[in-house]
Amino acid sequence: MTKKEQMNKFQKYATIGIFIALVFVPGVAWVFCGGTIGDDNSENRKLAEMPAFDITKIDKFPKQFDEYYNDHAPFRRVIKDAWTGLNYTALGDSTTENVVVGKNNGSSGSEAWLFYSKSSDNNPVASVQGIVEHSDDIVKKIDSSIKSTTDELRKKGIDYYFFIAPNKENIYREYLPDNVAIFGEKSKDEKLIDRLKISNKNIIYGKEEIMNAKDVGQLYYKQDTHWNNLGAFYGFKALMQSIEPEFKDYEYKLEYTEPKVHNRDLARFLGMRNYFTDVDAIIRYREKSTVQISAESEGDKEVKISVNDKPAVDKTLMVIGDSYRSAMLPYLQKVYRKVVSVSRAGGYEKPFIEKYQPDVVIMEAVERYAMSGGKFKVL
Protein backbone atom coordinates (compact mmCIF):
# COMPACT_ATOMS: atom_id res chain seq x y z
CA MET A 1 0.00 0.00 0.00
CA THR A 2 1.42 3.38 -0.99
CA LYS A 3 1.75 6.31 1.39
CA LYS A 4 -1.08 8.14 -0.43
CA GLU A 5 -3.35 5.09 -0.11
CA GLN A 6 -2.52 4.84 3.63
CA MET A 7 -3.39 8.52 4.07
CA ASN A 8 -6.70 8.11 2.22
CA LYS A 9 -7.53 5.08 4.37
CA PHE A 10 -6.72 7.02 7.54
CA GLN A 11 -8.91 9.94 6.42
CA LYS A 12 -11.83 7.61 5.79
CA TYR A 13 -11.53 5.88 9.18
CA ALA A 14 -11.08 9.22 10.95
CA THR A 15 -14.20 10.55 9.21
CA ILE A 16 -16.21 7.50 10.33
CA GLY A 17 -14.95 7.80 13.90
CA ILE A 18 -15.77 11.49 14.15
CA PHE A 19 -19.17 10.90 12.58
CA ILE A 20 -20.02 8.25 15.22
CA ALA A 21 -18.92 10.64 17.97
CA LEU A 22 -21.04 13.43 16.53
CA VAL A 23 -24.06 11.13 16.46
CA PHE A 24 -23.82 9.86 20.05
CA VAL A 25 -22.36 12.83 21.98
CA PRO A 26 -25.48 15.03 21.64
CA GLY A 27 -27.71 12.20 22.91
CA VAL A 28 -25.59 11.75 26.03
CA ALA A 29 -25.41 15.52 26.54
CA TRP A 30 -29.18 15.73 26.13
CA VAL A 31 -29.69 13.46 29.14
CA PHE A 32 -27.33 15.39 31.44
CA CYS A 33 -27.68 18.97 30.27
CA GLY A 34 -30.62 19.18 27.88
CA GLY A 35 -32.15 22.64 28.13
CA THR A 36 -29.14 24.16 29.91
CA ILE A 37 -27.17 24.95 26.77
CA GLY A 38 -28.32 27.92 24.69
CA ASP A 39 -30.35 27.15 21.60
CA ASP A 40 -28.91 27.97 18.19
CA ASN A 41 -31.19 30.15 16.10
CA SER A 42 -28.69 31.20 13.45
CA GLU A 43 -31.09 30.02 10.73
CA ASN A 44 -33.39 32.99 11.47
CA ARG A 45 -36.56 30.94 11.90
CA LYS A 46 -38.86 29.92 14.75
CA LEU A 47 -37.51 26.82 16.47
CA ALA A 48 -39.80 23.87 17.11
CA GLU A 49 -41.47 23.85 20.53
CA MET A 50 -41.68 20.88 22.93
CA PRO A 51 -44.90 19.09 21.97
CA ALA A 52 -47.53 18.43 24.61
CA PHE A 53 -48.16 14.75 25.14
CA ASP A 54 -51.70 13.86 24.11
CA ILE A 55 -52.70 10.20 23.98
CA THR A 56 -55.35 11.02 21.35
CA LYS A 57 -52.60 12.39 19.05
CA ILE A 58 -49.92 9.83 19.84
CA ASP A 59 -49.31 9.18 16.12
CA LYS A 60 -48.03 12.75 15.67
CA PHE A 61 -45.90 12.94 18.83
CA PRO A 62 -42.75 11.11 17.54
CA LYS A 63 -42.36 13.43 14.54
CA GLN A 64 -43.01 16.55 16.64
CA PHE A 65 -40.52 15.47 19.30
CA ASP A 66 -37.93 14.66 16.63
CA GLU A 67 -38.28 18.18 15.21
CA TYR A 68 -37.97 19.65 18.72
CA TYR A 69 -34.86 17.58 19.48
CA ASN A 70 -33.21 18.49 16.17
CA ASP A 71 -33.73 22.19 16.90
CA HIS A 72 -32.66 22.15 20.57
CA ALA A 73 -30.03 19.40 20.82
CA PRO A 74 -26.89 20.56 22.68
CA PHE A 75 -23.97 21.63 20.49
CA ARG A 76 -26.21 21.64 17.39
CA ARG A 77 -24.39 24.50 15.64
CA VAL A 78 -20.97 23.21 16.69
CA ILE A 79 -21.78 19.77 15.29
CA LYS A 80 -23.13 21.16 12.02
CA ASP A 81 -20.06 23.34 11.53
CA ALA A 82 -17.69 20.53 12.48
CA TRP A 83 -19.31 18.08 10.08
CA THR A 84 -19.28 20.62 7.26
CA GLY A 85 -15.63 21.48 7.88
CA LEU A 86 -14.63 17.84 8.12
CA ASN A 87 -16.27 16.99 4.81
CA TYR A 88 -14.51 19.89 3.12
CA THR A 89 -11.02 19.55 4.61
CA ALA A 90 -10.80 15.74 4.72
CA LEU A 91 -12.82 14.74 1.68
CA GLY A 92 -13.02 17.91 -0.41
CA ASP A 93 -16.78 17.43 -0.38
CA SER A 94 -19.90 19.53 0.15
CA THR A 95 -22.65 18.81 2.67
CA THR A 96 -25.27 20.60 0.57
CA GLU A 97 -26.57 19.80 -2.90
CA ASN A 98 -26.57 23.54 -3.63
CA VAL A 99 -22.75 23.83 -3.74
CA VAL A 100 -20.15 21.83 -5.68
CA VAL A 101 -16.56 21.94 -4.40
CA GLY A 102 -14.21 22.50 -7.31
CA LYS A 103 -10.45 22.59 -7.73
CA ASN A 104 -7.79 24.88 -6.30
CA ASN A 105 -5.90 27.05 -8.78
CA GLY A 106 -2.85 27.14 -6.50
CA SER A 107 -2.60 30.93 -6.25
CA SER A 108 -1.52 32.68 -3.05
CA GLY A 109 -4.04 32.50 -0.24
CA SER A 110 -6.49 30.49 -2.29
CA GLU A 111 -8.77 27.59 -1.49
CA ALA A 112 -10.99 25.58 -3.81
CA TRP A 113 -13.39 27.24 -6.19
CA LEU A 114 -17.05 26.73 -5.24
CA PHE A 115 -19.86 26.43 -7.78
CA TYR A 116 -23.62 26.89 -7.57
CA SER A 117 -25.80 23.83 -8.17
CA LYS A 118 -29.23 24.51 -6.69
CA SER A 119 -31.74 22.49 -8.73
CA SER A 120 -34.66 24.87 -8.15
CA ASP A 121 -32.54 27.82 -9.35
CA ASN A 122 -31.72 26.54 -12.85
CA ASN A 123 -28.63 24.61 -11.66
CA PRO A 124 -25.63 26.26 -13.42
CA VAL A 125 -23.42 23.18 -12.92
CA ALA A 126 -25.96 20.96 -14.69
CA SER A 127 -26.33 23.58 -17.40
CA VAL A 128 -22.61 23.71 -18.17
CA GLN A 129 -22.59 19.92 -18.62
CA GLY A 130 -24.71 20.51 -21.73
CA ILE A 131 -26.57 17.20 -21.48
CA VAL A 132 -30.04 18.51 -22.37
CA GLU A 133 -31.47 21.48 -24.26
CA HIS A 134 -34.45 23.75 -23.77
CA SER A 135 -37.56 22.67 -25.66
CA ASP A 136 -38.71 24.27 -28.90
CA ASP A 137 -41.83 25.56 -27.15
CA ILE A 138 -39.75 27.46 -24.58
CA VAL A 139 -37.53 28.95 -27.27
CA LYS A 140 -40.55 30.10 -29.30
CA LYS A 141 -42.24 31.65 -26.26
CA ILE A 142 -39.15 33.64 -25.23
CA ASP A 143 -38.42 34.63 -28.83
CA SER A 144 -41.94 35.99 -29.27
CA SER A 145 -41.80 37.95 -26.03
CA ILE A 146 -38.45 39.57 -26.83
CA LYS A 147 -39.69 40.60 -30.26
CA SER A 148 -42.93 42.10 -28.93
CA THR A 149 -41.04 44.09 -26.26
CA THR A 150 -38.54 45.31 -28.85
CA ASP A 151 -41.33 46.43 -31.16
CA GLU A 152 -43.29 48.20 -28.40
CA LEU A 153 -40.24 50.17 -27.27
CA ARG A 154 -39.22 50.97 -30.83
CA LYS A 155 -42.62 52.63 -31.35
CA LYS A 156 -41.68 54.96 -28.49
CA GLY A 157 -38.27 55.70 -30.03
CA ILE A 158 -36.45 53.58 -27.45
CA ASP A 159 -33.70 51.06 -28.22
CA TYR A 160 -34.02 47.77 -26.34
CA TYR A 161 -31.27 45.21 -25.60
CA PHE A 162 -31.23 41.97 -23.63
CA PHE A 163 -27.80 41.52 -22.01
CA ILE A 164 -26.82 38.13 -20.55
CA ALA A 165 -23.95 37.80 -18.06
CA PRO A 166 -22.21 34.40 -18.30
CA ASN A 167 -22.48 31.92 -15.46
CA LYS A 168 -19.27 31.56 -13.48
CA GLU A 169 -19.52 27.80 -14.10
CA ASN A 170 -19.32 28.39 -17.86
CA ILE A 171 -16.32 30.74 -17.64
CA TYR A 172 -14.27 28.76 -15.11
CA ARG A 173 -15.31 25.23 -16.04
CA GLU A 174 -11.67 24.12 -15.75
CA TYR A 175 -12.04 24.35 -11.96
CA LEU A 176 -15.08 22.09 -11.79
CA PRO A 177 -14.32 18.72 -10.15
CA ASP A 178 -13.39 15.80 -12.38
CA ASN A 179 -16.62 13.98 -11.56
CA VAL A 180 -18.63 16.67 -13.36
CA ALA A 181 -18.68 15.41 -16.93
CA ILE A 182 -18.81 18.10 -19.64
CA PHE A 183 -20.50 17.27 -22.94
CA GLY A 184 -19.49 19.87 -25.51
CA GLU A 185 -18.29 23.45 -25.38
CA LYS A 186 -21.67 25.09 -24.82
CA SER A 187 -23.95 25.00 -21.82
CA LYS A 188 -27.66 24.27 -21.97
CA ASP A 189 -28.45 27.98 -21.54
CA GLU A 190 -25.80 29.04 -24.05
CA LYS A 191 -27.48 26.86 -26.66
CA LEU A 192 -30.76 28.62 -25.86
CA ILE A 193 -29.07 32.01 -26.29
CA ASP A 194 -27.63 30.98 -29.67
CA ARG A 195 -31.09 30.00 -30.90
CA LEU A 196 -32.64 33.26 -29.70
CA LYS A 197 -29.90 35.35 -31.34
CA ILE A 198 -30.80 34.00 -34.78
CA SER A 199 -33.84 36.25 -35.00
CA ASN A 200 -33.08 38.78 -32.23
CA LYS A 201 -30.04 40.87 -33.04
CA ASN A 202 -30.48 42.88 -29.84
CA ILE A 203 -29.40 39.98 -27.59
CA ILE A 204 -25.89 40.46 -26.18
CA TYR A 205 -24.07 37.58 -24.49
CA GLY A 206 -20.84 38.63 -22.77
CA LYS A 207 -19.03 35.29 -22.83
CA GLU A 208 -16.53 35.93 -25.64
CA GLU A 209 -15.32 39.25 -24.23
CA ILE A 210 -14.95 37.79 -20.74
CA MET A 211 -13.21 34.62 -21.89
CA ASN A 212 -10.69 36.79 -23.77
CA ALA A 213 -10.02 38.69 -20.53
CA LYS A 214 -9.16 35.67 -18.36
CA ASP A 215 -5.43 36.34 -18.80
CA VAL A 216 -5.89 39.86 -17.39
CA GLY A 217 -6.83 38.60 -13.94
CA GLN A 218 -9.44 36.85 -11.82
CA LEU A 219 -12.91 37.80 -13.09
CA TYR A 220 -15.25 36.04 -10.64
CA TYR A 221 -15.10 35.45 -6.91
CA LYS A 222 -13.95 31.94 -6.06
CA GLN A 223 -16.57 31.37 -3.34
CA ASP A 224 -19.43 33.44 -4.74
CA THR A 225 -21.90 33.18 -7.60
CA HIS A 226 -21.01 36.67 -8.91
CA TRP A 227 -18.35 38.24 -11.05
CA ASN A 228 -16.00 40.75 -9.39
CA ASN A 229 -15.35 44.33 -10.50
CA LEU A 230 -12.98 43.21 -13.26
CA GLY A 231 -15.44 40.69 -14.67
CA ALA A 232 -18.16 43.33 -14.52
CA PHE A 233 -15.92 45.75 -16.43
CA TYR A 234 -15.54 43.32 -19.32
CA GLY A 235 -19.27 42.66 -19.20
CA PHE A 236 -19.74 46.43 -19.47
CA LYS A 237 -17.31 46.51 -22.39
CA ALA A 238 -19.17 43.73 -24.23
CA LEU A 239 -22.42 45.63 -23.72
CA MET A 240 -21.04 48.97 -24.88
CA GLN A 241 -19.41 47.55 -28.00
CA SER A 242 -22.88 46.48 -29.14
CA ILE A 243 -25.03 49.42 -28.08
CA GLU A 244 -22.50 52.27 -28.53
CA PRO A 245 -19.99 51.03 -31.14
CA GLU A 246 -18.46 54.49 -31.56
CA PHE A 247 -17.47 54.65 -27.89
CA LYS A 248 -13.81 53.60 -27.47
CA ASP A 249 -12.74 54.69 -23.98
CA TYR A 250 -11.88 51.48 -22.14
CA GLU A 251 -8.65 52.50 -20.42
CA TYR A 252 -8.57 51.64 -16.71
CA LYS A 253 -6.20 50.94 -13.84
CA LEU A 254 -6.43 47.62 -12.00
CA GLU A 255 -5.40 46.78 -8.45
CA TYR A 256 -6.00 43.68 -6.37
CA THR A 257 -6.31 43.72 -2.60
CA GLU A 258 -4.39 41.26 -0.44
CA PRO A 259 -6.27 37.98 0.18
CA LYS A 260 -8.58 38.24 3.16
CA VAL A 261 -11.47 36.29 4.65
CA HIS A 262 -14.80 36.81 2.89
CA ASN A 263 -18.09 35.16 3.82
CA ARG A 264 -19.45 35.22 0.28
CA ASP A 265 -22.70 33.57 -0.75
CA LEU A 266 -21.43 30.10 -1.71
CA ALA A 267 -19.33 29.89 1.46
CA ARG A 268 -22.46 30.71 3.45
CA PHE A 269 -24.54 28.17 1.51
CA LEU A 270 -21.84 25.59 2.23
CA GLY A 271 -21.97 26.48 5.93
CA MET A 272 -18.30 27.48 6.23
CA ARG A 273 -18.00 31.01 7.59
CA ASN A 274 -14.73 32.79 8.38
CA TYR A 275 -12.66 30.25 6.48
CA PHE A 276 -12.17 31.11 2.80
CA THR A 277 -9.96 33.91 1.54
CA ASP A 278 -10.23 35.79 -1.72
CA VAL A 279 -9.12 39.06 -3.31
CA ASP A 280 -11.04 42.11 -4.48
CA ALA A 281 -10.37 43.81 -7.81
CA ILE A 282 -10.30 47.62 -7.71
CA ILE A 283 -10.95 49.36 -11.04
CA ARG A 284 -10.16 53.04 -11.57
CA TYR A 285 -12.06 54.28 -14.62
CA ARG A 286 -12.92 57.77 -15.99
CA GLU A 287 -12.06 59.34 -12.66
CA LYS A 288 -12.62 62.89 -13.91
CA SER A 289 -16.35 62.25 -14.20
CA THR A 290 -18.48 63.33 -11.25
CA VAL A 291 -21.59 61.23 -10.65
CA GLN A 292 -24.44 62.18 -8.34
CA ILE A 293 -26.62 59.26 -7.21
CA SER A 294 -30.08 59.41 -5.65
CA ALA A 295 -32.89 56.95 -4.98
CA GLU A 296 -36.67 56.99 -5.39
CA SER A 297 -39.45 54.56 -4.49
CA GLU A 298 -41.80 53.26 -7.16
CA GLY A 299 -44.34 51.05 -5.43
CA ASP A 300 -42.33 48.30 -3.74
CA LYS A 301 -39.24 48.98 -5.86
CA GLU A 302 -36.24 51.21 -5.23
CA VAL A 303 -35.07 53.09 -8.30
CA LYS A 304 -31.48 54.38 -8.33
CA ILE A 305 -30.77 57.41 -10.51
CA SER A 306 -27.33 58.76 -11.43
CA VAL A 307 -26.50 62.04 -13.17
CA ASN A 308 -23.06 62.57 -14.78
CA ASP A 309 -21.69 66.11 -15.29
CA LYS A 310 -19.17 64.99 -17.94
CA PRO A 311 -20.94 62.28 -19.95
CA ALA A 312 -19.35 60.63 -22.95
CA VAL A 313 -22.81 59.57 -24.16
CA ASP A 314 -25.58 62.17 -23.79
CA LYS A 315 -28.44 59.72 -23.26
CA THR A 316 -30.66 58.36 -20.50
CA LEU A 317 -30.09 54.66 -19.95
CA MET A 318 -32.49 52.41 -18.02
CA VAL A 319 -30.98 49.19 -16.66
CA ILE A 320 -33.35 46.51 -15.36
CA GLY A 321 -31.62 43.43 -14.00
CA ASP A 322 -30.51 41.10 -11.23
CA SER A 323 -27.57 41.42 -8.84
CA TYR A 324 -25.06 41.15 -11.70
CA ARG A 325 -26.05 44.62 -12.91
CA SER A 326 -24.86 46.21 -9.65
CA ALA A 327 -21.14 45.77 -10.40
CA MET A 328 -21.60 47.14 -13.95
CA LEU A 329 -23.44 50.28 -12.87
CA PRO A 330 -20.38 52.35 -11.81
CA TYR A 331 -18.95 52.07 -15.34
CA LEU A 332 -22.23 52.88 -17.07
CA GLN A 333 -22.71 55.83 -14.72
CA LYS A 334 -19.30 57.20 -15.74
CA VAL A 335 -20.34 57.13 -19.42
CA TYR A 336 -24.03 58.09 -19.67
CA ARG A 337 -25.62 61.42 -18.78
CA LYS A 338 -28.30 59.64 -16.74
CA VAL A 339 -28.68 56.04 -15.61
CA VAL A 340 -31.89 54.69 -14.08
CA SER A 341 -31.49 51.30 -12.40
CA VAL A 342 -34.14 48.97 -10.99
CA SER A 343 -34.33 45.34 -9.91
CA ARG A 344 -35.63 42.79 -12.41
CA ALA A 345 -37.69 41.03 -9.71
CA GLY A 346 -41.43 41.43 -10.16
CA GLY A 347 -43.26 43.14 -13.01
CA TYR A 348 -42.65 46.26 -15.09
CA GLU A 349 -45.39 48.52 -16.28
CA LYS A 350 -45.81 51.35 -18.74
CA PRO A 351 -45.40 54.14 -16.11
CA PHE A 352 -41.75 53.15 -15.60
CA ILE A 353 -40.99 54.01 -19.20
CA GLU A 354 -43.22 57.08 -19.29
CA LYS A 355 -41.81 58.61 -16.10
CA TYR A 356 -38.09 58.20 -16.80
CA GLN A 357 -38.18 58.58 -20.61
CA PRO A 358 -35.07 56.48 -21.37
CA ASP A 359 -33.34 56.55 -24.74
CA VAL A 360 -32.08 53.00 -24.22
CA VAL A 361 -33.44 50.14 -22.10
CA ILE A 362 -31.17 47.28 -21.03
CA MET A 363 -32.68 44.09 -19.64
CA GLU A 364 -29.87 42.24 -17.82
CA ALA A 365 -29.91 38.66 -16.56
CA VAL A 366 -27.26 36.16 -15.54
CA GLU A 367 -27.05 33.15 -17.87
CA ARG A 368 -29.07 30.82 -15.67
CA TYR A 369 -31.95 33.29 -16.03
CA ALA A 370 -31.66 33.59 -19.80
CA MET A 371 -35.30 32.54 -20.01
CA SER A 372 -36.27 35.75 -18.17
CA GLY A 373 -35.91 37.63 -21.45
CA GLY A 374 -39.50 36.65 -22.04
CA LYS A 375 -40.75 38.24 -18.80
CA PHE A 376 -40.22 41.92 -19.56
CA LYS A 377 -43.48 43.47 -20.72
CA VAL A 378 -44.37 46.97 -21.84
CA LEU A 379 -48.16 46.99 -22.03
Side-chain angles (χ1 to χ4, degrees):
M1 183 180 295
T2 66
K3 187 174 181 180
K4 182 177 181 180
E5 289 173 334
Q6 290 177 335
M7 179 61 68
N8 289 339
K9 187 175 181 180
F10 171 77
Q11 288 176 337
K12 290 179 181 178
Y13 284 130
T15 302
I16 293 171
I18 295 174
F19 173 75
I20 292 173
L22 293 178
V23 170
F24 286 101
V25 166
V28 174
W30 178 267
V31 174
F32 292 101
C33 56
T36 65
I37 299 177
D39 293 326
D40 166 40
N41 196 17
S42 60
E43 297 173 34
N44 194 28
R45 63 178 175 84
K46 184 178 180 180
L47 300 178
E49 298 179 357
M50 178 66 179
F53 184 79
D54 185 343
I55 193 64
T56 63
K57 300 178 181 178
I58 189 65
D59 57 319
K60 296 180 180 179
F61 184 82
K63 182 176 184 298
Q64 292 172 340
F65 183 83
D66 186 55
E67 292 173 350
Y68 169 71
Y69 176 79
N70 287 338
D71 276 356
H72 296 269
F75 318 120
R76 176 174 177 268
R77 179 62 182 271
V78 174
I79 292 168
K80 285 171 58 183
D81 289 350
W83 182 240
T84 297
L86 178 65
N87 269 268
Y88 176 80
T89 56
L91 305 176
D93 197 10
S94 168
T95 54
T96 171
E97 63 179 10
N98 298 335
V99 180
V100 169
V101 176
K103 300 174 182 177
N104 186 323
N105 64 356
S107 61
S108 176
S110 70
E111 289 87 18
W113 286 70
L114 304 180
F115 297 97
Y116 191 42
S117 56
K118 188 174 182 179
S119 298
S120 61
D121 201 14
N122 304 316
N123 192 338
V125 171
S127 175
V128 80
Q129 290 183 275
I131 300 172
V132 296
E133 296 188 24
H134 291 282
S135 69
D136 291 343
D137 288 342
I138 289 177
V139 176
K140 289 177 182 178
K141 183 178 180 179
I142 301 171
D143 180 73
S144 175
S145 182
I146 293 174
K147 286 178 179 176
S148 64
T149 301
T150 303
D151 292 341
E152 284 294 320
L153 289 175
R154 186 179 292 126
K155 291 176 185 177
K156 303 175 186 294
I158 301 170
D159 294 327
Y160 174 62
Y161 298 91
F162 181 30
F163 176 77
I164 302 166
N167 283 340
K168 166 185 169 180
E169 292 70 19
N170 207 3
I171 297 297
Y172 285 104
R173 55 173 61 191
E174 66 268 27
Y175 293 126
L176 286 164
D178 292 333
N179 62 356
V180 175
I182 306 295
F183 300 88
E185 296 181 358
K186 296 190 175 183
S187 71
K188 172 186 175 182
D189 295 317
E190 188 174 353
K191 293 174 185 177
L192 168 67
I193 296 165
D194 284 347
R195 294 177 69 182
L196 293 172
K197 287 174 69 175
I198 293 173
S199 57
N200 294 279
K201 303 306 179 185
N202 56 342
I203 294 178
I204 305 165
Y205 180 44
K207 182 181 177 183
E208 182 177 357
E209 186 68 39
I210 292 172
M211 288 294 290
N212 290 338
K214 287 178 70 174
D215 290 340
V216 177
Q218 182 179 319
L219 303 168
Y220 288 66
Y221 294 111
K222 294 198 294 290
Q223 293 94 31
D224 198 277
T225 55
H226 297 86
W227 53 19
N228 61 18
N229 292 330
L230 184 61
F233 182 87
Y234 282 96
F236 152 77
K237 185 177 179 181
L239 174 64
M240 291 296 293
Q241 287 175 333
S242 293
I243 68 176
E244 303 289 350
E246 295 182 2
F247 180 79
K248 305 295 183 183
D249 184 5
Y250 298 111
E251 294 294 324
Y252 66 90
K253 294 180 180 179
L254 168 65
E255 300 174 14
Y256 280 105
T257 63
E258 290 296 318
K260 61 181 179 180
V261 173
H262 292 278
N263 289 314
R264 303 202 187 277
D265 59 10
L266 291 177
R268 298 196 305 272
F269 298 162
L270 184 61
M272 293 188 66
R273 296 175 181 270
N274 303 316
Y275 179 82
F276 294 102
T277 62
D278 203 352
V279 296
D280 282 310
I282 300 172
I283 305 293
R284 304 192 186 282
Y285 176 66
R286 291 182 60 85
E287 293 185 296
K288 293 182 179 180
S289 295
T290 301
V291 178
Q292 300 293 330
I293 300 176
S294 60
E296 298 179 357
S297 294
E298 292 290 336
D300 61 347
K301 291 180 178 293
E302 181 183 67
V303 180
K304 291 187 177 180
I305 303 168
S306 70
V307 178
N308 185 347
D309 66 345
K310 295 182 177 66
V313 180
D314 190 21
K315 294 179 182 179
T316 296
L317 175 73
M318 178 177 281
V319 184
I320 303 169
D322 53 38
S323 54
Y324 266 68
R325 84 186 189 284
S326 299
M328 286 202 303
L329 282 178
Y331 313 125
L332 294 167
Q333 291 166 346
K334 292 289 185 71
V335 172
Y336 282 88
R337 173 174 51 83
K338 186 175 183 179
V339 177
V340 180
S341 173
V342 64
S343 169
R344 183 173 50 80
Y348 309 94
E349 299 179 358
K350 193 174 180 180
F352 269 88
I353 304 298
E354 291 184 344
K355 178 174 181 178
Y356 297 106
Q357 294 290 305
D359 299 295
V360 183
V361 172
I362 305 295
M363 174 73 164
E364 176 276 323
V366 68
E367 183 180 328
R368 68 178 182 273
Y369 296 142
M371 292 184 294
S372 66
K375 294 182 180 179
F376 181 79
K377 301 288 185 181
V378 181
L379 304 177

